[in-house]
Amino acid sequence: TEWLKSIFGIPAEISSPLTMRGSVDDSKKTISLSCNLPYIKYNGSEYKDINAYIRTPNDTLQAYATINKIQKNGGNLVLKAKADAVDDKLLSLFDIDVNQEKPISGTLYAETNFLRNETGEHVAHINIHPSVMMMNNTEWHIKPSGIVYQKDHVIIDHLAIEHEDQYIKMSGLATKSSNDSIVLDLHNVDVSYILNLVDFHAVRFGGLASGQAYIKSAFNNPDMNASLKVEEFKFQDGSMGTLNADVCWNKDLEQIDIDAVAFENEKAFTLINGYISPKRNYIDLGINANNTNIEFVEGFCGSFMSNIKAFTNGKARVIGDLSAVNLVGDLNVDGTIDITPLRTTYTLDNVNVKLIPNEIIFNNSIIKDIYGNKAVVNGALHHKNLGRLTFDLTVEPDNFLCYDHKEYGNNTFYGTVFGTGLCTITGKRGSIEFDINITPQKNSFIEYNAASPDAINNEQFIVWNEKKADSTQTDSIITDKLVSTPALPSASDLKINFVINANPDFTLRVLMDKTTGDYIALNGTGGINATFYNKGSFIMNGTYQIEAGTYKLTIQNI
């Protein structure tokens, strides 16, 4: 197919042969043609399993075609068409099956009569029969309607698809005149359905759209515009309020111009202005954020962030090839976020975030814990056109709440740790690792459940060494054995590596009897290493020099 591209400019590539078979018998007035094409890439879109045939038995015409389009989001759109013609009547069936997160399937039935009008021109009168479409397991009903076509003149009579109070309706007259128009009426239509049908997956938009769109002078330099209201508008699965958008077709630049505002309240709104160019396969949307909700960040960082209640101010742009969209800009963020594995909530106060192609950068950003203590964050979230996220962040805490589990849950340890030192967070979607190297501050403790049935598989989990008479060495506790803990159900792999440079401000507690609450509480110095893997084991080891401690011991009722 290289010669097709170089000589005729046809952007087609095939990786396996196109096979055509056929026969024509003039004496019997019959034709039989068939075509098979396993794969073709045309103008950037991929298709497979293309089959078609045409036959003319017994003075009739039979035609069939099937095509499987590979969607950009990884799904498939399978379209099948079948037609039978006899005399001046054509019976046709169109079957659609879109295999994706929100599947679409159904069959459309139509009957077309061919005739001539009073001036002798050919006219096709198409009757749409009642049909059913399934969208995300919901029935949508195609209502009976009519379409009359002749050269440069189309009448559409109430073409509609409905589900309860949701509908898409089309009516009007398409001609060369600017006085004639087709009107498309939407009410509570899921935006994601529409974007899936046109295979637009550069960025994710959601919500329920209502409004009207107009197409004028359809057969002579068309003029198109729309005014839409999208309730529950979402960007990358993050809520952004209600979107009001004016959309029009720019005939000179051959692009879709967009002027919109996403409104949450009088103090929180987002201005959106830019264009999408199907011809250049390009998007450029300017975003002016005014206390804009950034819940959409959870779509990037949901593996370790949750309950994002933060807002941003500044300017950004959604820009790039439709198959390789990026974010650029400079934003300031205020609000709170939860770091799920650590069970901590942090406050962001005017934190600067820089957006460059494929990176979201934090540079000397100050965050606070719930007590007002501070830490400095540096690093970046890396992505490939808003996908394939990886991240590497460093956090330098200063008497900062680094870990705050209030109970065991399904684990064999819990605790609260205020620390000064360094924490790094690295990973990707589905896998995250924390490396925490800190010196504990006052009110820090970790409690280990040595009474758990799964906790100790070796009697020497704790080894006590007696104080030597001729030495200043204090008693020590050595914890140097592997301890198994049941795997926790989680979609993501989570590893937390602790290096605790213990001092007397830190308390190490070992629960000896869960029923009585007996425990050993120790204060001292030494290095304690611990590794937690949510789908594997908990390992703790080190040598701890005891300065003071308590052993709560219950003997019967004493």
Side-chain angles (χ1 to χ4, degrees):
T1 51
E2 287 298 322
W3 62 275
L4 288 174
K5 287 192 288 186
S6 59
I7 298 176
F8 299 106
I10 299 175
E13 300 175 32
I14 64 173
S15 56
S16 54
L18 163 66
T19 304
M20 299 184 69
R21 295 183 177 86
S23 64
V24 177
D25 191 321
D26 186 57
S27 62
K28 295 180 180 179
K29 297 183 179 179
T30 60
I31 297 174
S32 177
L33 296 173
S34 66
C35 172
N36 174 263
L37 180 57
Y39 174 86
I40 184 172
K41 186 174 183 179
Y42 184 84
N43 199 25
S45 297
E46 297 179 89
Y47 305 86
K48 65 178 184 178
D49 303 329
I50 301 171
N51 292 283
Y53 70 72
I54 298 174
R55 303 192 191 107
T56 58
N58 304 321
D59 295 325
T60 64
L61 173 66
Q62 296 177 345
Y64 172 84
T66 179
I67 185 169
N68 186 336
K69 182 181 180 183
I70 302 173
Q71 300 283 78
K72 293 175 183 176
N73 66 342
N76 291 312
L77 187 157
V78 180
L79 181 63
K80 298 178 182 178
K82 184 177 180 181
D84 292 283
V86 59
D87 297 329
D88 291 323
K89 182 180 291 187
L90 175 68
L91 299 176
S92 50
L93 176 152
F94 299 93
D95 189 83
I96 185 172
D97 187 359
V98 184
N99 177 20
Q100 57 191 14
E101 183 180 354
K102 292 185 177 181
I104 300 173
S105 63
T107 304
L108 174 66
Y109 300 93
E111 177 183 316
T112 305
N113 293 285
F114 299 95
L115 45 92
R116 291 178 183 271
N117 62 13
E118 59 276 6
T119 61
E121 294 179 298
H122 291 283
V123 178
H125 192 163
I126 305 167
N127 292 306
I128 307 296
H129 293 297
S131 307
V132 175
M133 294 286 291
M134 295 296 295
M135 296 188 184
N136 198 23
N137 300 318
T138 301
E139 277 193 6
W140 285 69
H141 295 272
I142 299 174
K143 299 297 184 179
S145 58
I147 301 173
V148 179
Y149 171 81
Q150 63 189 75
K151 181 175 172 53
D152 297 336
H153 192 282
V154 175
I155 301 172
I156 300 177
D157 182 18
H158 198 73
L159 179 61
I161 177 170
E162 302 176 355
H163 167 69
E164 295 179 352
D165 67 332
Q166 298 176 283
Y167 59 76
I168 303 173
K169 298 178 181 178
M170 184 182 292
S171 296
L173 182 61
T175 67
K176 291 183 176 181
S177 172
S178 60
N179 295 322
D180 298 323
S181 63
I182 298 290
V183 180
L184 181 66
D185 195 7
L186 309 177
H187 188 259
N188 284 342
V189 177
D190 192 329
V191 170
S192 63
Y193 287 146
I194 300 172
L195 297 181
N196 283 331
L197 281 174
V198 299
D199 199 16
F200 179 86
H201 302 285
V203 288
R204 293 193 304 277
F205 294 113
L208 300 175
S210 301
Q212 291 185 323
Y214 301 87
I215 305 174
K216 298 181 179 180
S217 57
F219 292 104
N220 182 26
N221 200 7
D223 186 10
M224 293 174 281
N225 62 81
S227 181
L228 300 174
K229 181 178 183 179
V230 183
E231 303 280 0
E232 302 172 24
F233 177 63
K234 292 185 177 182
F235 170 68
Q236 296 292 108
D237 300 325
S239 298
M240 297 187 69
T242 298
L243 178 76
N244 291 287
D246 290 322
V247 182
C248 68
W249 174 248
N250 187 321
K251 293 185 287 187
D252 295 331
L253 298 177
E254 298 185 77
Q255 65 188 32
I256 302 168
D257 289 341
I258 299 172
D259 187 6
V261 56
F263 184 84
E264 292 186 83
N265 54 58
E266 292 181 357
K267 295 183 179 180
F269 57 91
T270 307
L271 303 177
I272 304 167
N273 186 276
Y275 67 86
I276 299 173
S277 173
K279 181 180 180 180
R280 300 191 300 278
N281 199 42
Y282 199 79
I283 184 172
D284 188 349
L285 293 178
I287 298 174
N288 191 336
N290 297 269
N291 292 321
T292 298
N293 188 348
I294 62 166
E295 183 184 1
F296 66 85
V297 171
E298 197 164 330
F300 295 101
C301 307
S303 59
F304 67 99
M305 286 186 187
S306 63
N307 197 28
I308 296 174
K309 296 179 179 178
F311 308 90
T312 186
N313 290 275
K315 294 184 178 181
R317 291 165 69 195
V318 179
I319 191 170
D321 189 281
L322 290 176
S323 61
V325 173
N326 244 298
L327 290 172
V328 297
D330 200 324
L331 301 171
N332 292 309
V333 181
D334 298 89
T336 62
I337 60 172
D338 290 353
I339 304 299
T340 314
L342 305 181
R343 298 277 180 90
T344 53
T345 299
Y346 297 138
T347 298
L348 293 76
D349 186 5
N350 200 33
V351 169
N352 182 255
V353 179
K354 292 191 181 298
L355 309 174
I356 64 174
N358 297 324
E359 286 197 355
I360 301 172
I361 299 173
F362 301 88
N363 187 18
N364 291 325
S365 301
I366 304 296
I367 62 174
K368 299 178 182 178
D369 65 18
I370 57 175
Y371 302 101
N373 305 316
K374 297 179 181 180
V376 180
V377 179
N378 286 283
L381 308 178
H382 314 281
H383 58 90
K384 183 66 175 176
N385 308 121
L386 305 185
R388 291 158 55 184
L389 175 75
T390 61
F391 41 86
D392 56 86
L393 302 168
T394 63
V395 183
E396 298 178 62
D398 183 8
N399 191 26
F400 193 71
L401 183 61
C402 300
Y403 189 82
D404 193 27
H405 282 242
K406 301 296 186 183
E407 56 187 14
Y408 285 109
N410 292 322
N411 297 327
T412 54
F413 74 101
Y414 79 99
T416 296
V417 179
F418 294 87
T420 298
L422 181 67
C423 171
T424 63
I425 307 172
T426 57
K428 59 184 178 181
R429 188 183 298 274
S431 177
I432 181 171
E433 186 162 354
F434 287 78
D435 289 289
I436 302 173
N437 188 328
I438 58 168
T439 299
Q441 308 296 307
K442 287 184 178 180
N443 301 316
S444 298
F445 77 94
I446 284 182
E447 179 171 306
Y448 183 79
N449 184 8
S452 168
D454 297 312
I456 300 177
N457 55 19
N458 190 305
E459 292 181 359
Q460 301 304 309
F461 168 63
I462 300 174
V463 178
W464 296 89
N465 293 330
E466 292 186 7
K467 179 179 178 180
K468 296 179 181 179
D470 59 347
S471 172
T472 58
Q473 177 186 334
T474 59
D475 294 343
S476 66
I477 176 173
I478 302 177
T479 58
D480 60 357
K481 302 298 180 182
L482 172 66
V483 183
S484 297
T485 186
L488 302 180
S490 173
S492 299
D493 289 342
L494 168 64
K495 293 181 180 179
I496 305 178
N497 305 310
F498 295 97
V499 176
I500 299 175
N501 306 301
N503 56 43
D505 288 331
F506 170 73
T507 300
L508 174 64
R509 293 206 304 245
V510 182
L511 182 66
M512 306 303 293
D513 189 325
K514 192 171 184 180
T515 303
T516 62
D518 290 0
Y519 64 84
I520 304 171
L522 305 171
N523 298 89
T525 59
I528 297 176
N529 299 320
T531 299
F532 169 71
Y533 175 39
N534 66 327
K535 297 179 181 177
S537 61
F538 175 76
I539 301 172
M540 183 165 66
N541 58 69
T543 301
Y544 193 57
Q545 305 296 330
I546 300 168
E547 291 193 5
T550 302
Y551 192 160
K552 179 182 178 298
L553 176 64
T554 302
I555 302 176
Q556 295 187 357
N557 330 344
I558 301 174

